[in-house]
């Protein structure tokens, strides 16, 4: 299995792909912190169902965990980026160029190929999460200061706050990524996987939330946002993690069966 | 030991039968040509042998192991299936390193195969900048990476310039002489004729011929190509020769007569007797292409592919 993971990591070592992935994570971390502090300090609140982001209250921003609030606030945006890059790494050159033929011919135990790819992508996702966390910390402090938000409590339990935020975001992004991989395996196309993923988050889930009375706490974006936030008023952390695990298990089961059994005709 | 054996190997795609109870037994060592018209089942056969698709029926073994467990033999098999496939933004070296790691091959082999196909010096450029011929070389390098006992190469000279074709032809011969078995699937019959020791011909998923190349070439016939001095005399000449008992067919710009060199003078006299002066008379011999066309037909295999499941079931 180690050989498969190392092989996959070599293929993932595409400078442009990684630069775009990490660059987008850094960009969103910087952007969301800048917008968030301005918005929160001005007493604004987002309308229900606003796609992609969930801003904290001013009190939450001024608490010790306020330093890392940007990661949770933008978790869905980070999630879409992660979903997209997992989809590209799964289906990008693989099905369009026929690389999948070469790989399956070299390692016919297809479940190994799939597991190796997931492990390799989880490792790269850890780096991407770290990039987002570092940029978040670098931008949050001066942005909060400029917006007049008190940062006096931000040094309290710093290691725990940062570590918890990192782990929660990483768990959420891992689920986003796995779902990108699942859709890419099923669709055999990165573009289709990204369209479906982004379309779901920005259109389908937002529309469901906007329909009055419709139960929406279990929806994917809501669930993963709760995981990234360490739990929300609507959904407890433990419930969110359990739901996320259920989504991942179901998706991997489906993708695994299809990937192992399907003819490689591309 | 046979390198590849199939028994009643069948694969259906819906109503289409790609392989129809294919039974064959190929010897190990040497270069084996796998030829057939488009849609004859060559690619399907290769994909089944590599574990990419599963057969609908029958059985097969590669290097003595059943295709139901491809992991038992794929480490000993190198492949180039259809077009070479790599990650364009990575260098040839990185692409090969990723494959070497996947196959558990020592990384020193990467340099060895890059040198073998002449890519040292270009091995750090992104593959997307490569021409088709360069990619083809890289595809062959990938196939050679595990120093395999069996090489399966689909159109290995596709995109190569004449010098590259000669180079790859010599490489295939060397591999065959070194005790490896190389199965070459190609539409370029001159290539097959030049390098192969053994020939397999399939059509509509059925085996037409499997045997030594020398046996196929025994089927060649001598012929004499002639042309009348004036085009309008071609048809009267053909009629006269047929009436005289010659076997004649229209050929490029003239006529082709089935006859050996010893009858060239007789043919010339027969033309003169018919009042036609010949401007060309050339003795030749059928090549593999002509034998192939005689065995498989002169129309694109996919266009004539009308054998659907219902036809077979009725039969």
């Amino acid at each position: 299995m180690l050989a498969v993971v190392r092989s996959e990591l070599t293929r993932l070592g595409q400078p442009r792909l990684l630069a775009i992935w990490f660059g987008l994570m850094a960009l969103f971390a910087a952007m969301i912190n800048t917008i968030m502090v301005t918005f929160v300090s001005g007493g604004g609140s987002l309308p229900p169902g606003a796609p992609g982001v969930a801003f904290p209250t001013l009190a939450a921003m001024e608490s010790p965990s306020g330093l890392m609030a940007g990661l949770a606030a933008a978790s869905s945006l980070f999630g879409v980026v992660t979903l997209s890059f997992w989809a590209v790494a799964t289906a990008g050159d693989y099905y369009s160029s026929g690389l999948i033929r070469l790989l399956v011919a070299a390692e016919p135990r297809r479940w190994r190929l799939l597991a190796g790819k997931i492990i390799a992508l989880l490792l790269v996702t850890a780096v991407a999460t770290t990039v987002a966390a570092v940029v978040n910390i670098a931008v949050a402090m001066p942005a909060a200061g400029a917006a007049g938000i008190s940062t006096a409590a931000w040094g309290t339990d710093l290691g725990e706050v940062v570590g918890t935020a990192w782990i929660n975001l990483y768990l959420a992004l891992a689920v986003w990524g796995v779902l990108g991989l699942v859709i890419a395996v099923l669709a055999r196309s990165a573009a289709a996987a990204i369209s479906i993923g982004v379309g779901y988050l920005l259109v389908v889930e937002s529309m469901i939330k906007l329909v009055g009375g419709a139960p929406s706490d279990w929806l994917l974006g809501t669930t993963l946002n709760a995981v990234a936030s360490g739990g929300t008023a609507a959904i407890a952390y433990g419930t969110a993690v359990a739901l996320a695990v259920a989504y991942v298990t179901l998706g991997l089961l489906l993708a695994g069966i299809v990937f192992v059994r399907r003819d490689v005709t591309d | 030991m046979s390198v590849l054996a199939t028994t009643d190997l069948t694969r259906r795609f819906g109503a289409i039968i790609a392989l129809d109870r294919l039974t064959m037994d190929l010897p190990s060592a040497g270069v084996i040509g796998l030829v057939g018209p488009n849609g004859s089942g060559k690619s399907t056969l290769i994909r089944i042998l590599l574990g990419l698709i599963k057969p609908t029926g029958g059985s097969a073994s590669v290097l003595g192991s059943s295709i139901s467990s491809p992991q038992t033999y794929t480490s000993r098999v190198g492949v180039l299936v259809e077009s070479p496939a790599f990650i364009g933004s990575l260098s040839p070296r990185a692409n090969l390193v990723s494959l070497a790691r996947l196959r558990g091959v020592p990384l020193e082999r990467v340099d060895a195969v890059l040198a073998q196909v002449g890519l040292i010096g270009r091995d750090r450029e992104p593959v997307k900048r490569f021409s088709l011929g360069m990619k083809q070389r890289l595809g062959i390098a990938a196939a050679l990476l595990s120093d395999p006992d069996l090489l399966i190469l689909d159109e290995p000279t596709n995109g190569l310039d004449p010098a590259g074709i000669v180079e790859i032809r010599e490489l295939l011969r060397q591999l065959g002489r070194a005790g490896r078995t190389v199965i070459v699937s190609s539409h370029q019959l001159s290539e097959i004729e030049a390098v192969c020791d053994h020939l397999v011909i399939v059509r509509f998923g059925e085996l037409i011929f499997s045997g030594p190349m020398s046996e196929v070439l025994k089927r060649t016939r001598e012929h004499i190509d002639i042309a009348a001095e004036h085009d309008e005399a071609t048809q009267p000449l053909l009629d006269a020769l047929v009436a005289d008992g010659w076997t004649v067919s229209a050929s490029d710009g003239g006529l082709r007569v089935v006859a050996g060199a010893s009858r060239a003078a007789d043919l010339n006299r027969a033309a003169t007797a018919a009042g036609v002066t010949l401007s060309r008379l050339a003795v030749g011999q059928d090549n593999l292409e002509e034998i192939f066309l005689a065995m498989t037909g002169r129309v694109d295999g996919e266009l004539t592919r009308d054998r659907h499941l219902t036809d077979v079931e009725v039969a």
Side-chain angles (χ1 to χ4, degrees):
Chain A
M1 180 56 79
L2 187 61
V4 182
V5 175
R6 292 183 70 208
S7 168
E8 188 62 41
L9 283 173
T10 308
R11 281 190 294 281
L12 284 172
Q14 302 169 53
R16 191 158 170 262
L17 178 79
L18 295 179
I20 294 174
W21 185 353
F22 298 164
L24 282 174
M25 296 295 277
L27 177 71
F28 282 138
M31 201 173 72
I32 207 73
N33 268 287
T34 310
I35 294 170
M36 183 177 67
V37 293
T38 308
F39 197 81
V40 171
S41 66
S45 63
L46 292 174
V53 293
F55 286 164
T57 61
L58 180 60
M61 277 297 295
E62 292 181 336
S63 72
S65 61
L67 173 64
M68 302 304 286
L71 290 190
S75 70
S76 294
L77 294 179
F78 293 136
V80 168
V81 172
T82 307
L83 177 147
S84 301
F85 282 90
W86 278 57
V88 168
T90 302
D93 280 330
Y94 290 75
Y95 290 97
S96 58
S97 76
L99 180 59
I100 192 73
R101 288 194 302 262
L102 202 58
L103 299 180
V104 173
E107 176 49 273
R109 288 165 292 191
R110 299 186 194 180
W111 64 269
R112 278 187 173 223
L113 283 179
L114 196 60
K117 181 180 285 291
I118 291 169
I119 294 169
L121 281 166
L122 284 173
L123 292 172
V124 182
T125 301
V127 179
T129 307
T130 305
V131 168
V134 168
V135 173
N136 177 83
I137 293 168
V139 174
M141 194 71 84
I149 292 173
S150 170
T151 59
W154 282 15
T156 309
D157 299 326
L158 186 61
E160 186 187 333
V161 167
V162 173
T164 304
W166 187 94
I167 288 170
N168 288 340
L169 179 63
Y170 179 66
L171 286 176
L173 295 188
V175 178
W176 276 110
V178 167
L179 291 170
L181 173 139
V182 168
I183 304 171
V185 165
L186 297 179
R188 289 187 284 193
S189 157
I194 294 168
S195 304
I196 293 168
V198 174
Y200 170 78
L201 174 75
L202 296 183
V203 181
V204 179
E205 190 158 325
S206 297
M207 284 176 68
I208 293 172
K209 282 180 183 173
L210 286 170
V211 175
S216 60
D217 294 347
W218 52 271
L219 292 173
L220 184 63
T222 310
T223 302
L224 296 183
N225 188 46
V227 172
S229 306
T232 61
I235 179 167
Y237 183 67
T239 309
V241 169
L243 260 175
V245 168
Y247 279 125
V248 164
T249 306
L250 191 68
L252 282 181
L253 200 64
L254 186 63
I257 291 169
V258 169
F259 185 68
V260 168
R261 298 180 64 89
R262 185 167 58 194
D263 285 344
V264 178
T265 53
D266 299 278
Chain B
M1 187 189 79
S2 66
V3 68
L4 166 62
T6 67
T7 306
D8 292 332
L9 194 66
T10 302
R11 172 67 205 217
R12 293 173 181 147
F13 291 101
I16 300 285
I17 303 177
L19 285 182
D20 193 1
R21 287 163 288 183
L22 185 74
T23 299
M24 63 181 180
D25 195 342
L26 299 184
S28 60
V31 185
I32 299 168
L34 174 62
V35 298
N38 289 335
S40 61
K42 303 186 297 292
S43 295
T44 301
L45 173 63
I46 290 173
R47 285 167 190 266
I48 288 176
L49 299 177
L50 298 176
L52 301 180
I53 61 177
K54 291 184 170 54
T56 314
S59 61
S61 67
V62 177
L63 298 169
S65 299
S66 167
I67 57 165
S68 60
S69 305
Q71 67 273 16
T72 57
Y73 58 80
T74 48
S75 62
R76 298 164 60 203
V77 178
V79 294
L80 170 62
V81 188
E82 295 173 17
S83 55
F86 298 99
I87 293 189
S89 59
L90 291 180
S91 67
R93 179 173 292 279
N95 272 291
L96 291 179
V97 165
S98 80
L99 282 173
R101 286 180 168 150
L102 185 61
R103 285 180 168 274
V105 171
L107 295 186
E108 297 80 59
R109 282 290 300 162
V110 171
D111 283 313
V113 295
L114 282 170
Q116 208 166 355
V117 299
L119 283 180
I120 291 285
R122 304 287 306 268
D123 56 314
R124 294 187 189 276
E125 295 176 25
V127 170
K128 64 185 172 193
R129 288 191 201 153
F130 276 17
S131 65
L132 177 60
M134 298 281 279
K135 286 180 186 166
Q136 199 70 11
R137 285 171 185 266
L138 183 56
I140 294 169
L144 293 168
L145 199 56
S146 61
D147 200 11
D149 297 322
L150 170 63
L151 267 167
I152 299 175
L153 306 175
D154 198 358
E155 299 287 354
T157 56
N158 192 21
L160 293 176
D161 60 19
I165 290 172
V166 171
E167 204 178 307
I168 296 303
R169 189 190 293 168
E170 186 50 36
L171 175 64
L172 298 181
R173 282 203 195 100
Q174 280 173 16
L175 292 165
R177 282 197 295 264
R180 290 184 180 80
T181 306
V182 185
I183 296 178
V184 181
S185 170
S186 177
H187 284 109
Q188 295 184 33
L189 295 175
S190 56
E191 282 304 307
I192 294 286
E193 187 175 355
V195 299
C196 294
D197 311 303
H198 193 97
L199 187 69
V200 175
I201 302 177
V202 287
R203 182 174 186 257
F204 293 146
E206 294 173 338
L207 186 67
I208 300 276
F209 175 85
S210 176
M213 180 64 79
S214 55
E215 197 179 304
V216 182
L217 295 177
K218 277 182 195 165
R219 301 183 182 202
T220 60
R221 296 177 302 184
E222 279 189 307
H223 59 253
I224 302 171
D225 288 324
I226 56 174
E229 187 180 23
H230 304 292
D231 287 346
E232 59 272 21
T234 301
Q235 188 59 45
L237 175 61
L238 186 145
D239 296 340
L241 291 175
V242 169
D244 207 18
W246 297 85
T247 304
V248 190
S249 60
S251 181
D252 283 342
L255 300 173
R256 173 162 291 185
V257 182
V258 178
S262 60
R263 303 214 53 205
D266 293 338
L267 180 60
N268 198 9
R269 272 191 287 275
T272 305
V276 177
T277 303
L278 297 179
S279 62
R280 180 163 62 93
L281 189 152
V283 178
Q285 192 161 29
D286 291 350
N287 57 21
L288 182 60
E289 186 173 281
E290 284 153 330
I291 299 167
F292 173 83
L293 290 173
M295 293 170 89
T296 62
R298 289 183 172 268
V299 182
D300 186 308
E302 286 178 326
L303 299 179
T304 57
R305 189 177 186 83
D306 55 357
R307 284 168 49 98
H308 286 201
L309 185 60
T310 47
D311 302 326
V312 172
E313 283 176 341
V314 169

